[in-house]
Amino acid sequence: MEKIKELFKKELNVVNIGLESFYMDLKKQNKKAIHLDWKPPAGGNEKMASLLSKLK
């Protein structure tokens, strides 16, 4: 339990993947964060993603 308490005393550093509004909220709070604009392959369409994976 002590290690968990130590963790929450440290400065927050965030890598945000996907939802940009979450990143913007962190920046408004002056938290260290970077944003990766990620979307699922083929827009999340499993059939299309399967077809695209065969092109590799």
Side-chain angles (χ1 to χ4, degrees):
M1 187 65 154
E2 191 62 36
K3 288 187 177 191
I4 292 174
K5 289 180 183 179
E6 289 176 27
L7 177 66
F8 285 102
K9 292 178 184 176
K10 295 182 179 183
E11 184 176 9
L12 183 64
N13 294 295
V14 178
V15 176
N16 182 64
I17 301 172
L19 191 59
E20 189 174 9
S21 62
F22 183 71
Y23 165 76
M24 297 305 293
D25 285 341
L26 289 167
K27 296 306 284 182
K28 287 178 188 174
Q29 297 175 52
N30 295 316
K31 302 299 179 192
K32 288 185 179 179
I34 59 171
H35 175 68
L36 175 64
D37 186 18
W38 180 86
K39 294 179 178 81
N45 181 312
E46 290 182 27
K47 183 176 180 180
M48 186 62 72
S50 175
L51 291 171
L52 288 172
S53 71
K54 294 176 183 177
L55 293 175
K56 292 182 180 179

